[in-house]
Amino acid sequence: MTGSLVSAAPATADPCGFYATGSDAFYNHCTGDGSRVVIEVEVWGPNYERCVAPGRTWLGSSGKIDGAHYVGRTC
């Protein structure tokens, strides 16, 4: 039987944009230019904006954060 090796991304790699684990919510700003961007954080109540640097930013408890998205401007 002939087999082949399949290379996959590490399971620990953080996805770009908003994601949540069982207990925490994060926004991962994937960029190579060092830019900081404004995101809108969606919560149970009034949403708020936050400036994030490249890489992973902890937003809070996943039970309190409903989502987050880039609003189209830098900060």
Side-chain angles (χ1 to χ4, degrees), residues 12-69:
T12 58
D14 298 328
C16 295
F18 174 79
Y19 69 96
T21 65
S23 59
D24 297 296
F26 298 92
Y27 188 88
N28 190 20
H29 174 40
C30 299
T31 184
D33 66 5
S35 64
R36 298 170 61 94
V37 298
V38 177
I39 62 169
E40 181 176 340
V41 181
E42 302 165 11
V43 294
W44 299 106
N47 293 348
Y48 63 91
E49 291 186 347
R50 182 167 178 183
C51 180
V52 297
R56 182 176 71 165
T57 300
W58 182 75
L59 300 177
S61 167
S62 61
K64 295 181 179 180
I65 307 294
D66 193 36
H69 62 274

